[in-house]
Every structure is written in structure tokens, then in C-alpha cells.
Amino acid sequence: MSNVTHPLDIIRVDNLRLWAHVGVLDHEREHGQWFRVDLELHLDLSHSASADSLAATADYSLGVQALQRLAEEISCLTLEHFSERMFEELEEIYGALPMHLWLSKCHAPIPGFAGTVSLERWRRKPF
């Protein structure tokens, strides 16, 4: 994989559902809840596209599996910390790629609230 300053291509993983023990309330950490992750890896895919080579790209299955393992193991208070740990796991696999992550708590325990709570973070924003 090349270290392109402004990558042309994106590998995107959408709607990865994870059960994790994350939240400020004790019962959130004790019992767990659903989260949704959307992720972009920004990189040059031209070599993989022309050579049909998995070695020349970012194998997204490895990232999905790493995030699934992390979700099984983690217990923390904030979405911010959970997302930071996700970046650390992904960097172990892919190195210093620009990455864009959306992390949503699917059912925030707020009385009368039926929406989601999300954060959006970047690592090495490409622009």
C-alpha cells in the first residue's frame, strides 16, 4: 500500500453491528447494548485493482474481526474512548492510513428519546 497524501479510493464498511459494554450508566456496562459502526479506509487501490491482489489492498475482513473482538472485550464509559480503541485496533492491522469512523449508540438510555447518538472521528484526515 502506498503512502499517498491524497488517496483516490475508499474501502467502506457500513452498518457493522457490535454488542459492547460501553456507557456512563452501570447497567450499560454490565449488560451491554448495540452499537453501529461505519468505517472508511482511504488508500490507493489502483495496484490491487490492476493486479487482482489482496496483498495490495486493505483486507476489510481483518478489520471487521478485530472490531468484533474489541467489542467483546471492552468495558468503558464513553463513545470517545471506544472509538479511540477502534482506531488503535485498525492501525495495528493497516498502519497509518487516513480513516473515518462513525460510531452510533443504537438505543441511548434517555427517557422519551428513540433516536441514536453518534460521533464522527477522523485519523489523518486526507484533506
Side-chain angles (χ1 to χ4, degrees), residues 1-5 7 9 11 41-49 53-60 62 90-99:
M1 291 180 270
S2 67
N3 291 329
V4 177
T5 305
D9 306 305
I11 292 176
L41 304 174
H42 294 243
L43 66 162
D44 181 358
L45 298 174
S46 58
H47 180 68
S48 177
S53 169
L54 184 58
T57 188
D59 182 346
Y60 55 83
L62 298 176
L90 294 168
E91 287 175 335
E92 289 269 330
I93 298 166
Y94 305 118
L97 289 179
M99 297 180 204

PDB file of all heavy atoms in Angstrom, residues 1-5 7 9 11 41-49 53-60 62 90-99:
ATOM      1  N   MET A   1       0.841  -1.176   0.000  1.00  0.00           N
ATOM      2  CA  MET A   1       0.000   0.000   0.000  1.00  0.00           C
ATOM      3  C   MET A   1       0.886   1.239   0.000  1.00  0.00           C
ATOM      4  O   MET A   1       1.843   1.299   0.749  1.00  0.00           O
ATOM      5  CB  MET A   1      -0.912   0.009   1.211  1.00  0.00           C
ATOM      6  CG  MET A   1      -1.988  -1.059   1.161  1.00  0.00           C
ATOM      7  SD  MET A   1      -3.052  -1.033   2.596  1.00  0.00           S
ATOM      8  CE  MET A   1      -2.123  -2.160   3.639  1.00  0.00           C
ATOM      9  N   SER A   2       0.534   2.198  -0.815  1.00  0.00           N
ATOM     10  CA  SER A   2       1.364   3.397  -0.909  1.00  0.00           C
ATOM     11  C   SER A   2       0.923   4.437   0.106  1.00  0.00           C
ATOM     12  O   SER A   2      -0.203   4.436   0.584  1.00  0.00           O
ATOM     13  CB  SER A   2       1.277   3.966  -2.323  1.00  0.00           C
ATOM     14  OG  SER A   2      -0.025   4.446  -2.572  1.00  0.00           O
ATOM     15  N   ASN A   3       1.842   5.344   0.419  1.00  0.00           N
ATOM     16  CA  ASN A   3       1.538   6.437   1.341  1.00  0.00           C
ATOM     17  C   ASN A   3       1.163   7.661   0.521  1.00  0.00           C
ATOM     18  O   ASN A   3       1.917   8.612   0.409  1.00  0.00           O
ATOM     19  CB  ASN A   3       2.744   6.740   2.237  1.00  0.00           C
ATOM     20  CG  ASN A   3       3.000   5.622   3.209  1.00  0.00           C
ATOM     21  OD1 ASN A   3       2.071   4.960   3.631  1.00  0.00           O
ATOM     22  ND2 ASN A   3       4.242   5.427   3.564  1.00  0.00           N
ATOM     23  N   VAL A   4       0.004   7.650  -0.070  1.00  0.00           N
ATOM     24  CA  VAL A   4      -0.470   8.734  -0.902  1.00  0.00           C
ATOM     25  C   VAL A   4      -1.007   9.843  -0.007  1.00  0.00           C
ATOM     26  O   VAL A   4      -1.773   9.583   0.916  1.00  0.00           O
ATOM     27  CB  VAL A   4      -1.578   8.221  -1.856  1.00  0.00           C
ATOM     28  CG1 VAL A   4      -2.139   9.346  -2.686  1.00  0.00           C
ATOM     29  CG2 VAL A   4      -1.030   7.118  -2.743  1.00  0.00           C
ATOM     30  N   THR A   5      -0.605  11.095  -0.284  1.00  0.00           N
ATOM     31  CA  THR A   5      -1.055  12.214   0.519  1.00  0.00           C
ATOM     32  C   THR A   5      -2.557  12.429   0.365  1.00  0.00           C
ATOM     33  O   THR A   5      -3.263  12.673   1.324  1.00  0.00           O
ATOM     34  CB  THR A   5      -0.299  13.500   0.130  1.00  0.00           C
ATOM     35  OG1 THR A   5       1.095  13.247   0.245  1.00  0.00           O
ATOM     36  CG2 THR A   5      -0.684  14.640   1.041  1.00  0.00           C
ATOM     37  N   PRO A   7      -5.365  10.232  -1.036  1.00  0.00           N
ATOM     38  CA  PRO A   7      -5.803   8.971  -1.634  1.00  0.00           C
ATOM     39  C   PRO A   7      -7.001   9.173  -2.549  1.00  0.00           C
ATOM     40  O   PRO A   7      -7.836  10.033  -2.315  1.00  0.00           O
ATOM     41  CB  PRO A   7      -6.184   8.107  -0.437  1.00  0.00           C
ATOM     42  CG  PRO A   7      -5.522   8.736   0.731  1.00  0.00           C
ATOM     43  CD  PRO A   7      -5.400  10.194   0.418  1.00  0.00           C
ATOM     44  N   ASP A   9      -9.050   6.535  -3.397  1.00  0.00           N
ATOM     45  CA  ASP A   9     -10.020   5.467  -3.238  1.00  0.00           C
ATOM     46  C   ASP A   9     -10.379   5.263  -1.772  1.00  0.00           C
ATOM     47  O   ASP A   9      -9.649   5.657  -0.875  1.00  0.00           O
ATOM     48  CB  ASP A   9      -9.446   4.163  -3.803  1.00  0.00           C
ATOM     49  CG  ASP A   9      -8.979   4.326  -5.244  1.00  0.00           C
ATOM     50  OD1 ASP A   9      -9.798   4.759  -6.068  1.00  0.00           O
ATOM     51  OD2 ASP A   9      -7.798   4.044  -5.511  1.00  0.00           O
ATOM     52  N   ILE A  11     -12.177   2.210   0.876  1.00  0.00           N
ATOM     53  CA  ILE A  11     -12.863   0.974   1.241  1.00  0.00           C
ATOM     54  C   ILE A  11     -13.790   1.353   2.382  1.00  0.00           C
ATOM     55  O   ILE A  11     -13.368   1.949   3.372  1.00  0.00           O
ATOM     56  CB  ILE A  11     -11.884  -0.127   1.698  1.00  0.00           C
ATOM     57  CG1 ILE A  11     -11.044  -0.596   0.514  1.00  0.00           C
ATOM     58  CG2 ILE A  11     -12.650  -1.294   2.322  1.00  0.00           C
ATOM     59  CD1 ILE A  11      -9.986  -1.618   0.878  1.00  0.00           C
ATOM     60  N   LEU A  41     -11.637   3.452   5.019  1.00  0.00           N
ATOM     61  CA  LEU A  41     -10.179   3.378   4.915  1.00  0.00           C
ATOM     62  C   LEU A  41      -9.812   4.050   3.596  1.00  0.00           C
ATOM     63  O   LEU A  41     -10.279   3.635   2.534  1.00  0.00           O
ATOM     64  CB  LEU A  41      -9.704   1.925   4.912  1.00  0.00           C
ATOM     65  CG  LEU A  41     -10.131   1.066   6.097  1.00  0.00           C
ATOM     66  CD1 LEU A  41      -9.711  -0.384   5.867  1.00  0.00           C
ATOM     67  CD2 LEU A  41      -9.548   1.596   7.389  1.00  0.00           C
ATOM     68  N   HIS A  42      -9.000   5.094   3.661  1.00  0.00           N
ATOM     69  CA  HIS A  42      -8.627   5.845   2.465  1.00  0.00           C
ATOM     70  C   HIS A  42      -7.246   5.376   1.998  1.00  0.00           C
ATOM     71  O   HIS A  42      -6.274   5.489   2.749  1.00  0.00           O
ATOM     72  CB  HIS A  42      -8.592   7.340   2.782  1.00  0.00           C
ATOM     73  CG  HIS A  42      -9.944   7.895   3.103  1.00  0.00           C
ATOM     74  ND1 HIS A  42     -10.536   8.854   2.337  1.00  0.00           N
ATOM     75  CD2 HIS A  42     -10.828   7.611   4.097  1.00  0.00           C
ATOM     76  CE1 HIS A  42     -11.724   9.147   2.838  1.00  0.00           C
ATOM     77  NE2 HIS A  42     -11.921   8.400   3.914  1.00  0.00           N
ATOM     78  N   LEU A  43      -7.184   4.864   0.787  1.00  0.00           N
ATOM     79  CA  LEU A  43      -5.926   4.359   0.257  1.00  0.00           C
ATOM     80  C   LEU A  43      -5.984   4.257  -1.251  1.00  0.00           C
ATOM     81  O   LEU A  43      -7.056   4.345  -1.858  1.00  0.00           O
ATOM     82  CB  LEU A  43      -5.585   2.996   0.860  1.00  0.00           C
ATOM     83  CG  LEU A  43      -6.499   1.820   0.527  1.00  0.00           C
ATOM     84  CD1 LEU A  43      -5.770   0.518   0.822  1.00  0.00           C
ATOM     85  CD2 LEU A  43      -7.776   1.855   1.340  1.00  0.00           C
ATOM     86  N   ASP A  44      -4.850   4.070  -1.859  1.00  0.00           N
ATOM     87  CA  ASP A  44      -4.739   3.906  -3.311  1.00  0.00           C
ATOM     88  C   ASP A  44      -5.012   2.438  -3.646  1.00  0.00           C
ATOM     89  O   ASP A  44      -4.257   1.551  -3.239  1.00  0.00           O
ATOM     90  CB  ASP A  44      -3.343   4.324  -3.760  1.00  0.00           C
ATOM     91  CG  ASP A  44      -3.133   4.215  -5.257  1.00  0.00           C
ATOM     92  OD1 ASP A  44      -4.055   3.778  -5.977  1.00  0.00           O
ATOM     93  OD2 ASP A  44      -2.033   4.577  -5.711  1.00  0.00           O
ATOM     94  N   LEU A  45      -6.077   2.186  -4.364  1.00  0.00           N
ATOM     95  CA  LEU A  45      -6.457   0.817  -4.731  1.00  0.00           C
ATOM     96  C   LEU A  45      -6.080   0.455  -6.164  1.00  0.00           C
ATOM     97  O   LEU A  45      -6.449  -0.609  -6.647  1.00  0.00           O
ATOM     98  CB  LEU A  45      -7.965   0.623  -4.535  1.00  0.00           C
ATOM     99  CG  LEU A  45      -8.465   0.790  -3.106  1.00  0.00           C
ATOM    100  CD1 LEU A  45      -9.984   0.716  -3.066  1.00  0.00           C
ATOM    101  CD2 LEU A  45      -7.845  -0.248  -2.188  1.00  0.00           C
ATOM    102  N   SER A  46      -5.324   1.311  -6.845  1.00  0.00           N
ATOM    103  CA  SER A  46      -5.037   1.067  -8.264  1.00  0.00           C
ATOM    104  C   SER A  46      -4.224  -0.209  -8.487  1.00  0.00           C
ATOM    105  O   SER A  46      -4.507  -0.965  -9.423  1.00  0.00           O
ATOM    106  CB  SER A  46      -4.324   2.272  -8.889  1.00  0.00           C
ATOM    107  OG  SER A  46      -3.119   2.545  -8.202  1.00  0.00           O
ATOM    108  N   HIS A  47      -3.240  -0.487  -7.645  1.00  0.00           N
ATOM    109  CA  HIS A  47      -2.431  -1.703  -7.835  1.00  0.00           C
ATOM    110  C   HIS A  47      -3.271  -2.955  -7.600  1.00  0.00           C
ATOM    111  O   HIS A  47      -3.208  -3.910  -8.382  1.00  0.00           O
ATOM    112  CB  HIS A  47      -1.201  -1.698  -6.925  1.00  0.00           C
ATOM    113  CG  HIS A  47      -0.361  -2.923  -7.092  1.00  0.00           C
ATOM    114  ND1 HIS A  47       0.349  -3.186  -8.251  1.00  0.00           N
ATOM    115  CD2 HIS A  47      -0.143  -3.977  -6.276  1.00  0.00           C
ATOM    116  CE1 HIS A  47       0.966  -4.351  -8.121  1.00  0.00           C
ATOM    117  NE2 HIS A  47       0.682  -4.853  -6.929  1.00  0.00           N
ATOM    118  N   SER A  48      -4.041  -2.967  -6.547  1.00  0.00           N
ATOM    119  CA  SER A  48      -4.898  -4.122  -6.270  1.00  0.00           C
ATOM    120  C   SER A  48      -5.913  -4.316  -7.386  1.00  0.00           C
ATOM    121  O   SER A  48      -6.204  -5.448  -7.786  1.00  0.00           O
ATOM    122  CB  SER A  48      -5.615  -3.934  -4.942  1.00  0.00           C
ATOM    123  OG  SER A  48      -6.488  -5.003  -4.698  1.00  0.00           O
ATOM    124  N   ALA A  49      -6.442  -3.220  -7.902  1.00  0.00           N
ATOM    125  CA  ALA A  49      -7.428  -3.306  -8.978  1.00  0.00           C
ATOM    126  C   ALA A  49      -6.828  -3.888 -10.249  1.00  0.00           C
ATOM    127  O   ALA A  49      -7.437  -4.741 -10.901  1.00  0.00           O
ATOM    128  CB  ALA A  49      -8.013  -1.930  -9.263  1.00  0.00           C
ATOM    129  N   SER A  53      -4.998  -8.329  -6.523  1.00  0.00           N
ATOM    130  CA  SER A  53      -4.162  -8.801  -5.434  1.00  0.00           C
ATOM    131  C   SER A  53      -4.696  -8.350  -4.081  1.00  0.00           C
ATOM    132  O   SER A  53      -4.764  -7.151  -3.805  1.00  0.00           O
ATOM    133  CB  SER A  53      -2.741  -8.267  -5.626  1.00  0.00           C
ATOM    134  OG  SER A  53      -1.962  -8.497  -4.479  1.00  0.00           O
ATOM    135  N   LEU A  54      -5.038  -9.312  -3.236  1.00  0.00           N
ATOM    136  CA  LEU A  54      -5.460  -8.996  -1.877  1.00  0.00           C
ATOM    137  C   LEU A  54      -4.303  -8.392  -1.080  1.00  0.00           C
ATOM    138  O   LEU A  54      -4.509  -7.535  -0.218  1.00  0.00           O
ATOM    139  CB  LEU A  54      -5.983 -10.248  -1.178  1.00  0.00           C
ATOM    140  CG  LEU A  54      -6.544 -10.063   0.223  1.00  0.00           C
ATOM    141  CD1 LEU A  54      -7.694  -9.058   0.236  1.00  0.00           C
ATOM    142  CD2 LEU A  54      -6.997 -11.389   0.800  1.00  0.00           C
ATOM    143  N   ALA A  55      -3.080  -8.805  -1.391  1.00  0.00           N
ATOM    144  CA  ALA A  55      -1.915  -8.283  -0.673  1.00  0.00           C
ATOM    145  C   ALA A  55      -1.698  -6.792  -0.933  1.00  0.00           C
ATOM    146  O   ALA A  55      -1.034  -6.121  -0.149  1.00  0.00           O
ATOM    147  CB  ALA A  55      -0.662  -9.067  -1.081  1.00  0.00           C
ATOM    148  N   ALA A  56      -2.271  -6.260  -2.010  1.00  0.00           N
ATOM    149  CA  ALA A  56      -2.073  -4.856  -2.368  1.00  0.00           C
ATOM    150  C   ALA A  56      -3.209  -3.964  -1.888  1.00  0.00           C
ATOM    151  O   ALA A  56      -3.294  -2.804  -2.264  1.00  0.00           O
ATOM    152  CB  ALA A  56      -1.929  -4.741  -3.884  1.00  0.00           C
ATOM    153  N   THR A  57      -4.072  -4.489  -1.046  1.00  0.00           N
ATOM    154  CA  THR A  57      -5.195  -3.712  -0.550  1.00  0.00           C
ATOM    155  C   THR A  57      -5.307  -3.885   0.964  1.00  0.00           C
ATOM    156  O   THR A  57      -4.453  -4.522   1.583  1.00  0.00           O
ATOM    157  CB  THR A  57      -6.510  -4.140  -1.262  1.00  0.00           C
ATOM    158  OG1 THR A  57      -7.546  -3.229  -0.895  1.00  0.00           O
ATOM    159  CG2 THR A  57      -6.918  -5.559  -0.923  1.00  0.00           C
ATOM    160  N   ALA A  58      -6.338  -3.325   1.539  1.00  0.00           N
ATOM    161  CA  ALA A  58      -6.622  -3.498   2.967  1.00  0.00           C
ATOM    162  C   ALA A  58      -7.740  -4.537   3.072  1.00  0.00           C
ATOM    163  O   ALA A  58      -8.864  -4.273   2.661  1.00  0.00           O
ATOM    164  CB  ALA A  58      -7.042  -2.170   3.590  1.00  0.00           C
ATOM    165  N   ASP A  59      -7.427  -5.693   3.588  1.00  0.00           N
ATOM    166  CA  ASP A  59      -8.417  -6.763   3.748  1.00  0.00           C
ATOM    167  C   ASP A  59      -9.414  -6.338   4.822  1.00  0.00           C
ATOM    168  O   ASP A  59      -9.124  -6.387   6.015  1.00  0.00           O
ATOM    169  CB  ASP A  59      -7.704  -8.066   4.127  1.00  0.00           C
ATOM    170  CG  ASP A  59      -8.631  -9.250   4.279  1.00  0.00           C
ATOM    171  OD1 ASP A  59      -9.869  -9.059   4.362  1.00  0.00           O
ATOM    172  OD2 ASP A  59      -8.117 -10.384   4.342  1.00  0.00           O
ATOM    173  N   TYR A  60     -10.597  -5.918   4.391  1.00  0.00           N
ATOM    174  CA  TYR A  60     -11.581  -5.380   5.335  1.00  0.00           C
ATOM    175  C   TYR A  60     -12.077  -6.423   6.322  1.00  0.00           C
ATOM    176  O   TYR A  60     -12.503  -6.082   7.423  1.00  0.00           O
ATOM    177  CB  TYR A  60     -12.759  -4.727   4.603  1.00  0.00           C
ATOM    178  CG  TYR A  60     -13.442  -5.617   3.603  1.00  0.00           C
ATOM    179  CD1 TYR A  60     -14.404  -6.534   3.987  1.00  0.00           C
ATOM    180  CD2 TYR A  60     -13.119  -5.531   2.253  1.00  0.00           C
ATOM    181  CE1 TYR A  60     -15.028  -7.362   3.065  1.00  0.00           C
ATOM    182  CE2 TYR A  60     -13.733  -6.342   1.326  1.00  0.00           C
ATOM    183  CZ  TYR A  60     -14.684  -7.249   1.726  1.00  0.00           C
ATOM    184  OH  TYR A  60     -15.294  -8.064   0.815  1.00  0.00           O
ATOM    185  N   LEU A  62     -10.339  -8.426   8.064  1.00  0.00           N
ATOM    186  CA  LEU A  62      -9.479  -8.379   9.249  1.00  0.00           C
ATOM    187  C   LEU A  62      -9.896  -7.252  10.187  1.00  0.00           C
ATOM    188  O   LEU A  62      -9.901  -7.415  11.404  1.00  0.00           O
ATOM    189  CB  LEU A  62      -8.015  -8.216   8.830  1.00  0.00           C
ATOM    190  CG  LEU A  62      -7.425  -9.337   7.980  1.00  0.00           C
ATOM    191  CD1 LEU A  62      -6.007  -8.990   7.562  1.00  0.00           C
ATOM    192  CD2 LEU A  62      -7.494 -10.653   8.711  1.00  0.00           C
ATOM    193  N   LEU A  90      -7.439  -0.867  14.394  1.00  0.00           N
ATOM    194  CA  LEU A  90      -7.333  -0.771  12.939  1.00  0.00           C
ATOM    195  C   LEU A  90      -5.920  -0.383  12.504  1.00  0.00           C
ATOM    196  O   LEU A  90      -5.412  -0.891  11.494  1.00  0.00           O
ATOM    197  CB  LEU A  90      -8.363   0.223  12.406  1.00  0.00           C
ATOM    198  CG  LEU A  90      -9.818  -0.218  12.597  1.00  0.00           C
ATOM    199  CD1 LEU A  90     -10.766   0.942  12.321  1.00  0.00           C
ATOM    200  CD2 LEU A  90     -10.149  -1.428  11.735  1.00  0.00           C
ATOM    201  N   GLU A  91      -5.268   0.489  13.268  1.00  0.00           N
ATOM    202  CA  GLU A  91      -3.898   0.867  12.930  1.00  0.00           C
ATOM    203  C   GLU A  91      -2.928  -0.292  13.099  1.00  0.00           C
ATOM    204  O   GLU A  91      -1.931  -0.370  12.384  1.00  0.00           O
ATOM    205  CB  GLU A  91      -3.462   2.058  13.774  1.00  0.00           C
ATOM    206  CG  GLU A  91      -4.128   3.332  13.329  1.00  0.00           C
ATOM    207  CD  GLU A  91      -3.820   4.515  14.224  1.00  0.00           C
ATOM    208  OE1 GLU A  91      -3.490   4.311  15.423  1.00  0.00           O
ATOM    209  OE2 GLU A  91      -3.924   5.639  13.719  1.00  0.00           O
ATOM    210  N   GLU A  92      -3.207  -1.192  14.034  1.00  0.00           N
ATOM    211  CA  GLU A  92      -2.373  -2.393  14.189  1.00  0.00           C
ATOM    212  C   GLU A  92      -2.393  -3.218  12.907  1.00  0.00           C
ATOM    213  O   GLU A  92      -1.402  -3.847  12.545  1.00  0.00           O
ATOM    214  CB  GLU A  92      -2.888  -3.254  15.348  1.00  0.00           C
ATOM    215  CG  GLU A  92      -2.664  -2.677  16.702  1.00  0.00           C
ATOM    216  CD  GLU A  92      -1.348  -3.132  17.306  1.00  0.00           C
ATOM    217  OE1 GLU A  92      -0.898  -4.239  17.000  1.00  0.00           O
ATOM    218  OE2 GLU A  92      -0.790  -2.345  18.079  1.00  0.00           O
ATOM    219  N   ILE A  93      -3.513  -3.224  12.222  1.00  0.00           N
ATOM    220  CA  ILE A  93      -3.676  -4.031  11.007  1.00  0.00           C
ATOM    221  C   ILE A  93      -3.210  -3.273   9.765  1.00  0.00           C
ATOM    222  O   ILE A  93      -2.456  -3.807   8.952  1.00  0.00           O
ATOM    223  CB  ILE A  93      -5.152  -4.438  10.827  1.00  0.00           C
ATOM    224  CG1 ILE A  93      -5.611  -5.289  12.002  1.00  0.00           C
ATOM    225  CG2 ILE A  93      -5.366  -5.178   9.504  1.00  0.00           C
ATOM    226  CD1 ILE A  93      -7.112  -5.461  12.093  1.00  0.00           C
ATOM    227  N   TYR A  94      -3.671  -2.027   9.609  1.00  0.00           N
ATOM    228  CA  TYR A  94      -3.490  -1.306   8.350  1.00  0.00           C
ATOM    229  C   TYR A  94      -2.394  -0.253   8.379  1.00  0.00           C
ATOM    230  O   TYR A  94      -2.052   0.304   7.338  1.00  0.00           O
ATOM    231  CB  TYR A  94      -4.802  -0.634   7.930  1.00  0.00           C
ATOM    232  CG  TYR A  94      -5.960  -1.596   7.841  1.00  0.00           C
ATOM    233  CD1 TYR A  94      -7.076  -1.454   8.646  1.00  0.00           C
ATOM    234  CD2 TYR A  94      -5.937  -2.664   6.945  1.00  0.00           C
ATOM    235  CE1 TYR A  94      -8.141  -2.338   8.561  1.00  0.00           C
ATOM    236  CE2 TYR A  94      -6.991  -3.549   6.866  1.00  0.00           C
ATOM    237  CZ  TYR A  94      -8.095  -3.383   7.680  1.00  0.00           C
ATOM    238  OH  TYR A  94      -9.139  -4.255   7.597  1.00  0.00           O
ATOM    239  N   GLY A  95      -1.866   0.064   9.541  1.00  0.00           N
ATOM    240  CA  GLY A  95      -0.864   1.107   9.620  1.00  0.00           C
ATOM    241  C   GLY A  95      -1.496   2.490   9.615  1.00  0.00           C
ATOM    242  O   GLY A  95      -2.660   2.658   9.959  1.00  0.00           O
ATOM    243  N   ALA A  96      -0.728   3.453   9.180  1.00  0.00           N
ATOM    244  CA  ALA A  96      -1.107   4.865   9.278  1.00  0.00           C
ATOM    245  C   ALA A  96      -1.915   5.348   8.083  1.00  0.00           C
ATOM    246  O   ALA A  96      -1.539   6.289   7.397  1.00  0.00           O
ATOM    247  CB  ALA A  96       0.140   5.720   9.456  1.00  0.00           C
ATOM    248  N   LEU A  97      -3.036   4.696   7.819  1.00  0.00           N
ATOM    249  CA  LEU A  97      -3.937   5.146   6.759  1.00  0.00           C
ATOM    250  C   LEU A  97      -4.851   6.246   7.269  1.00  0.00           C
ATOM    251  O   LEU A  97      -5.214   6.246   8.449  1.00  0.00           O
ATOM    252  CB  LEU A  97      -4.863   3.997   6.324  1.00  0.00           C
ATOM    253  CG  LEU A  97      -4.299   2.832   5.554  1.00  0.00           C
ATOM    254  CD1 LEU A  97      -5.420   1.828   5.284  1.00  0.00           C
ATOM    255  CD2 LEU A  97      -3.679   3.293   4.269  1.00  0.00           C
ATOM    256  N   PRO A  98      -5.283   7.152   6.401  1.00  0.00           N
ATOM    257  CA  PRO A  98      -6.390   8.020   6.790  1.00  0.00           C
ATOM    258  C   PRO A  98      -7.636   7.151   7.010  1.00  0.00           C
ATOM    259  O   PRO A  98      -7.937   6.264   6.205  1.00  0.00           O
ATOM    260  CB  PRO A  98      -6.572   8.945   5.589  1.00  0.00           C
ATOM    261  CG  PRO A  98      -5.262   8.904   4.879  1.00  0.00           C
ATOM    262  CD  PRO A  98      -4.735   7.519   5.094  1.00  0.00           C
ATOM    263  N   MET A  99      -8.323   7.384   8.116  1.00  0.00           N
ATOM    264  CA  MET A  99      -9.519   6.612   8.457  1.00  0.00           C
ATOM    265  C   MET A  99     -10.608   7.561   8.928  1.00  0.00           C
ATOM    266  O   MET A  99     -10.333   8.567   9.569  1.00  0.00           O
ATOM    267  CB  MET A  99      -9.226   5.620   9.588  1.00  0.00           C
ATOM    268  CG  MET A  99      -8.224   4.575   9.261  1.00  0.00           C
ATOM    269  SD  MET A  99      -7.984   3.498  10.702  1.00  0.00           S
ATOM    270  CE  MET A  99      -6.344   2.882  10.352  1.00  0.00           C
TER     271      MET A  99
END
